[in-house]
């Protein structure tokens, strides 16, 4: 990271004095100081997030494009409890990306306010004035292109503020004409696939508390049947779009299997792999009277009592994640998982001797 950027940040904070000035230092750091300035401003009160406003508010610039990404969560998981899926590897959505953020009028107001303060160093002021005003490469903030495009700048993905990868988006803002693709040498420029990856982080799936028979208390050597309420475990999806660019991507999660971990080595899983695949639209099979001694298609048999305590049965659902787009073919993303523990009491079978 260039030294001039590091030295500028505290000075700009001082200029704000009680408010946060969203000036380029670069934008990644401005958004770090105010995470709501980017596409993620915190969890929305409704399932559809449509923030977009612009202007100057008490000396603080708010960009008309700052709500650049709109999330439609109306088809997301709901119910008593939900959670985010975890990738099957260490993969995470992009920590930062470039997208439209400023009109010429907005970025000019911002930069002139900073240049007029005592915050920037002479070197940084000269560099940015050359960049935006003096033709290296832009002239007069591209005022002659007002309404014909946007200044693109960096956004930090919600939750990635401390991720070192968030500092990869350290370019000065750049101009993109309406209808044109962003520069090919900017790999973090927003694309439909990146939208799908950001929507991945917004996916919420139902709790994985399973149905059991016998319910939460079973006997040694008696198979316990395990299944999921298929009415709750159906595909869910989130759509992320950039209305300014006319692109969107929908990320869909579909349940494919249930993993059962008994919570003790003194147990037998059904099937032996502990992986209960989805079959005929359901995972596992509800117990019916008369099948107590049969091996369930999905379940567990404990070989030892839990004594005065209980075992922690862990149930984890694997979700297949895929995406489609209005302008791209789409494809698969990494599978995600979501799991939970529940207490199982295992008792000895009592026998009566006569």
């Amino acid at each position: 990271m260039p030294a001039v950027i590091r030295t500028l940040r505290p000075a700009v904070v001082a200029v704000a004095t009680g408010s946060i000035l969203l000036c380029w230092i670069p934008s990644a750091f401005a958004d770090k100081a105010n995470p709501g300035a980017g596409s993620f401003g915190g969890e929305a009160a409704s399932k559809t997030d449509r923030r977009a406003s612009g202007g100057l508010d008490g000396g603080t610039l708010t960009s008309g494009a700052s709500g650049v990404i709109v999330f439609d969560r109306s088809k997301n998981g709901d119910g008593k409890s939900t959670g985010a899926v975890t990738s099957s590897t260490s993969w995470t959505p992009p920590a930062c990306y470039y997208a439209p953020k400023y009109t010429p009028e907005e970025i000019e107001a911002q930069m002139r306010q900073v240049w007029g303060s005592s915050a920037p160093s002479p070197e940084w002021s000269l560099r940015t004035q050359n960049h935006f005003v003096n033709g290296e490469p832009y002239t007069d903030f591209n005022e002659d292109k007002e309404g014909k495009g946007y200044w693109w700048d960096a956004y930090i993905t919600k939750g990635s503020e401390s991720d070192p990868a968030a500092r990869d988006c350290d370019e000065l803002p750049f101009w993109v004409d309406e209808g044109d693709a962003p520069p090919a040498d900017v790999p973090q420029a927003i694309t439909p696939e990146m939208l799908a990856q950001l929507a991945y982080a917004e996916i919420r799936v139902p709790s994985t508390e399973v149905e059991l028979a016998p319910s939460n208390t079973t006997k040694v050597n008696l198979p316990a049947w395990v299944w999921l309420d298929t009415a709750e475990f159906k595909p869910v999806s989130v759509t992320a779009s950039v209305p300014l660019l006319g692109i969107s991507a929908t990320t869909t999660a579909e349940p494919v299997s249930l993993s059962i971990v008994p919570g003790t080595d003194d147990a037998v899983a059904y099937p032996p792999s502990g992986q209960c695949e989805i079959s005929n639209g359901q995972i596992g099979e509800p117990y019916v009277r008369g099948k107590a001694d049969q091996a369930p298609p999905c379940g567990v048999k404990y070989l030892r009592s839990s004594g005065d305590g209980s075992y922690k049965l862990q149930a984890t659902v694997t979700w297949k994640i895929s995406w489609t787009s209005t302008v791209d073919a789409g494809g698969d993303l990494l599978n995600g998982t979501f799991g939970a523990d529940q207490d199982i009491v295992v008792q000895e079978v009592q026998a009566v001797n006569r």
Side-chain angles (χ1 to χ4, degrees):
M1 187 67 62
V4 64
I5 294 173
R6 290 196 299 268
T7 58
L8 175 62
R9 185 185 180 200
V12 172
V13 173
V15 169
T17 314
S19 63
I20 298 175
L21 180 63
L22 303 182
C23 62
W24 183 85
I25 49 179
S27 174
F29 285 103
D31 288 346
K32 183 173 182 179
N34 179 18
S39 64
F40 300 91
E43 200 68 29
S46 66
K47 287 194 171 186
T48 302
D49 181 0
R50 298 185 179 278
R51 295 184 304 275
S53 59
L56 286 171
D57 181 11
T60 299
L61 180 76
T62 58
S63 169
S66 63
V68 67
I69 295 182
V70 174
F71 289 100
D72 181 353
R73 304 180 181 89
S74 61
K75 297 180 180 179
N76 213 353
D78 53 19
K80 293 181 293 185
S81 62
T82 60
V85 294
T86 301
S87 166
S88 55
T89 70
S90 59
W91 175 87
T92 58
C96 69
Y97 56 92
Y98 291 100
K101 185 175 281 192
Y102 305 113
T103 65
E105 181 181 3
E106 288 170 341
I107 202 166
E108 179 178 6
Q110 176 172 281
M111 294 310 302
R112 292 201 183 283
Q113 184 174 358
V114 177
W115 291 334
S117 72
S118 59
S121 67
E123 295 82 7
W124 188 87
S125 293
L126 178 60
R127 178 191 174 199
T128 51
Q129 287 172 15
N130 286 338
H131 180 80
F132 291 110
V133 180
N134 299 329
E136 297 180 15
Y138 305 106
T139 301
D140 296 331
F141 298 99
N142 274 1
E143 290 176 348
D144 59 329
K145 292 191 174 184
E146 185 76 42
K148 300 177 181 179
Y150 282 96
W151 287 97
W152 286 43
D153 203 359
Y155 293 80
I156 289 183
T157 304
K158 175 187 173 183
S160 298
E161 293 82 5
S162 60
D163 187 340
R167 303 192 179 192
D168 291 342
C169 299
D170 59 359
E171 299 289 337
L172 281 166
F174 54 88
W175 179 266
V176 179
D177 285 332
E178 185 175 352
D180 285 357
D185 60 350
V186 183
Q188 299 94 347
I190 198 72
T191 65
E193 184 170 6
M194 290 176 68
L195 281 175
Q197 293 170 351
L198 294 169
Y200 186 115
E202 299 297 314
I203 288 285
R204 296 294 180 268
V205 296
S207 168
T208 55
E209 183 172 353
V210 296
E211 301 288 341
L212 284 162
S215 177
N216 295 334
T217 299
T218 186
K219 307 294 184 182
V220 172
N221 292 321
L222 178 66
W225 291 56
V226 173
W227 69 95
L228 288 171
D229 183 347
T230 54
E232 293 184 9
F233 283 82
K234 55 188 177 181
V236 301
S237 65
V238 171
T239 297
S241 60
V242 181
L244 290 173
L245 302 178
I247 62 174
S248 67
T250 298
T251 299
T252 301
E254 181 178 1
V256 292
S257 66
L258 170 68
S259 172
I260 296 293
V261 178
T264 174
D265 292 335
D266 294 316
V268 175
Y270 300 94
S273 65
Q275 295 290 329
C276 303
E277 303 296 328
I278 190 168
S279 177
N280 298 322
Q282 66 179 25
I283 298 177
E285 180 181 322
Y287 171 77
V288 294
R289 186 181 297 273
K291 291 188 175 182
D293 294 329
Q294 296 182 23
C298 182
V300 61
K301 179 172 68 176
Y302 289 94
L303 307 179
R304 187 184 298 272
S305 165
S306 60
D308 295 331
S310 61
Y311 294 124
K312 290 284 187 183
L313 182 144
Q314 184 182 72
T316 302
V317 174
T318 295
W319 297 77
K320 177 180 172 59
I321 315 290
S322 60
W323 67 281
T324 58
S325 171
T326 54
V327 294
D328 209 330
D332 291 333
L333 298 174
L334 291 172
N335 285 351
T337 60
F338 183 62
D341 295 339
Q342 56 196 92
D343 293 325
I344 304 295
V345 175
V346 181
Q347 300 173 338
E348 294 281 2
V349 175
Q350 300 297 317
V352 177
N353 295 319
R354 295 185 182 276

